[in-house]
Amino acid sequence: MHRKTLTRQQLKTIVRASIHPGIGIARLGNSPGEYVISPDTITPQWVSAGSRHDASGAIKRQAARFRIYGYNLENEVVGELTLDDAEIEWRAHVVNRKAQWFEFEKAMDIEDAAHTQLRLRNADRVGAERDALVIDAGARTVSGRAVSGPAHEFAGGTFLGMPVALGELRTDESGRLLVLGGHGQGGSPTGMPIFDPDVSNHFANATGWFDDTSDGPVWAAVKINGVVIPVESAWVVVAQPDFSPNTVGWRTLYDLLTDTYLASGWLTPPERPSFSRDVLPIFQRLSGLQWVNKGFATLFGQGAPFDFNNPLLLAKLSRADETFSHLRQAVFNAFRGASNAVHEPRTWPWLYGDTFGAEQESAHDHLAPSPYRSQLLKRWVKGEFHADWTPDHKPPAHLDDVNLADQPAMLDQAALHFCLADAFHPGIELSWPMRHISLYRAPFRIKGLPEDQPLPDFGPVLDQTLALAVDGPLYAQPPGGLSRWMALPWQVDAVGCRSGYDADYDPYLPTFWPAGVPDQVLSEADYHASTDMTLPREQRVVAFNRRVYWGRKLRGSFIDQATQLVGDMARVGVIEARPGVENDPDLPAIMMVESVSGGQSPVAPLAPDLRRGAKLSLSDIERAGWESQEQCDEFRRIVRRENI
């Protein structure tokens, strides 16, 4: 199915237009020339082996693609507007304000932050020196078919006088906008360390450092037959790479935003939940995490007791009658309650919450379903849902397969579906401000600061009252207003926030964001062993269930590992799809396998190679991926700010 040029009559009915997705996500990559395009649906084709590296082994950038849809007086979608139908000129403005913003310590909207006061990053720089901390090359425009070049690059911005490029604008063959971010540039022009253990709250707040993440508004000027059509603007975020692009987090950024809109009355919940649309993802995402965390693989993976991809189990859970009502109750009881009144790591999901790292233990150290998702589960337990699951359902892999009326909403969802919500510590793509309705002018539309309006000055210290104040930093956003809350540089969060901090409890659980920053993965060697039909089946099953620590090529102290990742983001692997084994209860037909730079495996896995008969007994610390107890203690001290 291919897009058809709109007729003259259709074009006459268009009174307004809107850019979709409302919030687009681009991602960094260190490949100098190659890139991929962000997903257009929530069920795209698998990212296959080797597709995210170029021939040199560098990681490709991900471009955010924006489309324009025309609407009639009845607010119905008439069609997508391209250069076949209209004159289109795009404009965008991305900025990095991290080094000029306040330090990250914790989410400022939680109870634990009531007495927290955040200092400015690089507080000793004032006046013109402070302005020099912002990387801003100004807005850029582009129009036409398949256009690119220096005129459309976000070049010319500097950090403390050092040139820093933040990406570029391009168009595709139909004139749609492509926004590409930076190449993973980061560092300190003055030679400051990425982490100083002697400086309070230096984690995620590297003095004198920059990275090349960014965000900002996207506009379009549209004329149809010479008539100007008003266009609703969008926003683009340039985030870190997605190291497991086929894995969906247990709570996505899209989930978080829809929860926010539902709580504010901007969206209306369905009268009767759908099992397939509303309930099933809560379960299946637990099973999806089998590819990035050994603990999740043990209980929710292929052949495990709660493999939520198993059609036999789903056939029971999807029934709304009394036959398997107690099974529904048992599964419901395994989840943490929305009120989350008890500090309990054993309940589902096994993920850290916003307060992990706080001075004292909190019930919110672990993630809980939102009130809305919890209500969905309660209605499911009672049998109050549409039993609409079928084992042969195939969702659309391409936007062309989606009904025209649903395409704008699909684009809005797809952009955020592969982004992660909490724990906001501070997060992967974006942080805690995203759950505040004041940030938006409409669903999936960031409230932008007018270009002619000066940036507000919030002073030298940000406390909870100021952070949440009317017309404060959670209201109209300047370019760079969303990414400024994130870790500086992003690599420290990717290195520091992982699983296995309490190996005495469990070497793999709980964890942070394994869907974006994996913990334990299926190595290429174990993949080949598990699919080698010349080997005994038992040996293949053993190989499949073995996992190796994803970050094992990063060695040494926290400073060492973070510095190594800054130097080369391709030092760690990307988890991609490969053919598995058909019709085997313990070996899936599609396997998510670590692909590494240049096809070369990282350093030898810490786990013993059972195929060679090794008998090495690993401690819980080693199984978790730590080089030593001392290394684990160091990381825990940094992330949790503990004295161990």
Side-chain angles (χ1 to χ4, degrees):
M1 180 179 173
H2 299 283
R3 179 194 173 274
K4 296 181 180 179
T5 303
L6 299 179
T7 67
R8 290 184 178 181
Q9 186 57 41
Q10 286 176 313
L11 291 172
K12 288 181 180 179
T13 66
I14 294 175
V15 297
R16 71 175 185 90
S18 183
I19 302 172
H20 294 275
I23 304 172
I25 305 296
R27 296 186 184 275
L28 304 174
N30 57 354
S31 175
E34 296 187 44
Y35 64 91
V36 297
I37 296 176
S38 54
D40 287 337
T41 72
I42 63 172
T43 51
Q45 292 183 322
W46 295 119
V47 174
S48 58
S51 61
R52 289 301 169 94
H53 293 99
D54 66 15
S56 73
I59 293 177
K60 300 175 185 178
R61 292 183 292 174
Q62 176 179 294
R65 176 163 56 190
F66 293 91
R67 303 169 186 251
I68 300 173
Y69 283 81
Y71 294 77
N72 61 22
L73 283 171
E74 286 72 41
N75 204 34
E76 298 167 331
V77 179
V78 177
E80 183 191 356
L81 293 171
T82 70
L83 292 178
D84 294 334
D85 315 296
E87 301 173 51
I88 300 173
E89 182 180 68
W90 296 94
R91 187 164 71 96
H93 187 186
V94 299
V95 177
N96 179 306
R97 301 185 183 275
K98 284 185 177 182
Q100 195 192 50
W101 193 235
F102 295 95
E103 296 179 341
F104 172 79
E105 182 175 336
K106 64 186 68 170
M108 292 297 288
D109 57 351
I110 61 177
E111 183 178 329
D112 189 68
H115 305 291
T116 298
Q117 294 189 323
L118 301 180
R119 303 168 300 175
L120 289 167
R121 289 168 171 158
N122 301 288
D124 59 327
R125 296 186 179 272
V126 298
E129 281 194 341
R130 191 140 199 88
D131 294 338
L133 298 170
V134 177
I135 307 170
D136 183 2
R140 295 292 186 269
T141 62
V142 67
S143 61
R145 300 179 189 270
V147 175
S148 63
H152 316 296
E153 296 173 356
F154 293 107
T158 60
F159 178 78
L160 298 179
M162 178 180 175
V164 180
L166 294 182
E168 62 192 286
L169 303 182
R170 301 187 179 199
T171 59
D172 68 10
E173 63 282 356
S174 297
R176 304 180 184 102
L177 178 65
L178 299 174
V179 182
L180 288 98
H183 292 280
Q185 188 180 3
S188 170
T190 57
M192 299 292 288
I194 196 169
F195 177 74
D196 187 343
D198 297 326
V199 176
S200 174
N201 202 35
H202 206 255
F203 172 70
N205 301 300
T207 301
W209 271 71
F210 74 93
D211 65 22
D212 57 353
T213 58
S214 62
D215 69 278
V218 175
W219 304 276
V222 174
K223 290 182 180 180
I224 299 178
N225 296 323
V227 178
V228 175
I229 304 298
V231 183
E232 189 170 25
S233 62
W235 208 269
V236 66
V237 176
V238 180
Q240 69 177 61
D242 185 351
F243 294 105
S244 188
N246 295 309
T247 307
V248 180
W250 186 76
R251 179 146 71 215
T252 69
L253 197 56
Y254 179 83
D255 293 339
L256 182 82
L257 267 60
T258 54
D259 287 347
T260 299
Y261 305 147
L262 285 163
S264 302
W266 285 16
L267 297 179
T268 303
E271 290 187 10
R272 194 173 185 86
S274 156
F275 179 82
S276 296
R277 183 190 66 239
D278 302 315
V279 180
L280 182 57
I282 298 174
F283 306 143
Q284 285 192 321
R285 291 174 188 174
L286 295 173
S287 292
L289 295 177
Q290 67 179 293
W291 304 112
V292 287
N293 182 276
K294 170 72 171 175
F296 279 86
T298 300
L299 190 66
F300 305 113
Q302 179 79 12
F306 287 98
D307 176 7
F308 290 113
N309 293 313
N310 184 341
L312 297 178
L313 176 59
L314 295 182
K316 297 175 181 179
L317 297 178
S318 62
R319 293 182 61 160
D321 59 20
E322 293 296 313
T323 306
F324 297 104
S325 60
H326 192 259
L327 177 61
R328 297 199 301 270
Q329 185 69 59
V331 171
F332 174 82
N333 290 343
F335 280 93
R336 191 170 293 112
S339 62
N340 203 11
V342 179
H343 179 88
E344 178 51 79
R346 292 175 294 182
T347 47
W348 302 352
W350 297 322
L351 300 168
Y352 289 126
D354 288 343
T355 58
F356 181 82
E359 290 82 359
Q360 297 182 348
E361 281 190 351
S362 165
H364 299 282
D365 282 354
H366 303 98
L367 190 61
S370 69
Y372 172 65
R373 309 291 162 176
S374 188
Q375 186 61 35
L376 287 175
L377 288 172
K378 289 179 180 179
R379 295 192 67 182
W380 168 72
V381 169
K382 295 177 181 179
E384 299 174 356
F385 63 93
H386 292 296
D388 55 359
W389 177 80
T390 57
D392 56 351
H393 174 66
K394 292 184 178 181
H398 304 281
L399 189 66
D400 287 341
D401 300 325
V402 178
N403 292 331
L404 175 63
D406 299 325
Q407 287 182 12
M410 174 60 77
L411 289 168
D412 290 344
Q413 182 177 1
L416 303 174
H417 184 69
F418 296 95
C419 299
L420 303 173
D422 29 17
F424 289 128
H425 198 272
I428 294 294
E429 290 87 8
L430 292 166
S431 196
W432 64 271
M434 301 301 293
R435 60 187 172 209
H436 288 264
I437 197 69
S438 60
L439 205 69
Y440 308 93
R441 66 180 192 274
F444 311 107
R445 301 287 167 178
I446 300 297
K447 184 187 300 180
L449 185 73
E451 291 186 273
D452 59 354
Q453 186 171 321
L455 269 68
D457 184 353
F458 297 107
V461 176
L462 187 73
D463 60 15
Q464 190 175 75
T465 300
L466 180 56
L468 306 180
V470 175
D471 291 328
L474 303 186
Y475 284 73
Q477 298 298 299
L482 303 183
S483 57
R484 61 186 173 179
W485 299 93
M486 301 302 293
L488 177 63
W490 63 266
Q491 289 91 342
V492 297
D493 228 10
V495 165
C497 296
R498 45 174 290 187
S499 67
Y501 279 106
D502 186 0
D504 290 337
Y505 168 70
D506 191 289
Y508 311 117
L509 299 169
T511 184
F512 275 96
W513 318 285
V517 181
D519 298 315
Q520 299 85 31
V521 298
L522 180 63
S523 69
E524 187 171 4
D526 285 332
Y527 162 72
H528 287 303
S530 65
T531 56
D532 185 351
M533 305 305 287
T534 67
L535 296 176
R537 183 178 180 277
E538 178 61 27
Q539 193 169 336
R540 291 188 285 113
V541 172
V542 168
F544 173 74
N545 283 281
R546 184 166 49 239
R547 297 290 190 271
V548 298
Y549 174 49
W550 171 74
R552 61 198 183 279
K553 197 174 181 179
L554 305 172
R555 311 293 286 184
S557 68
F558 174 81
I559 296 174
D560 294 334
Q561 294 193 20
T563 303
Q564 290 160 20
L565 193 58
V566 170
D568 181 11
M569 65 177 67
R571 286 178 72 96
V572 290
V574 178
I575 316 307
E576 299 168 326
R578 302 195 186 198
V581 179
E582 297 286 347
N583 303 315
D584 191 303
D586 298 307
L587 301 171
I590 300 293
M591 298 184 183
M592 304 300 162
V593 184
E594 179 188 51
S595 296
V596 295
S597 175
Q600 300 297 313
S601 294
V603 296
L606 298 178
D609 189 341
L610 300 181
R611 290 165 299 163
R612 292 199 297 264
K615 302 297 184 181
L616 178 62
S617 177
L618 297 177
S619 67
D620 286 345
I621 285 291
E622 293 169 317
R623 287 197 289 143
W626 304 107
E627 296 175 28
S628 63
Q629 182 65 57
E630 291 73 23
Q631 187 197 57
C632 179
D633 290 348
E634 179 204 25
F635 275 64
R636 183 169 177 170
R637 247 189 328 266
I638 292 167
V639 175
R640 297 208 61 164
R641 297 182 292 280
E642 293 181 336
N643 293 317
I644 299 179

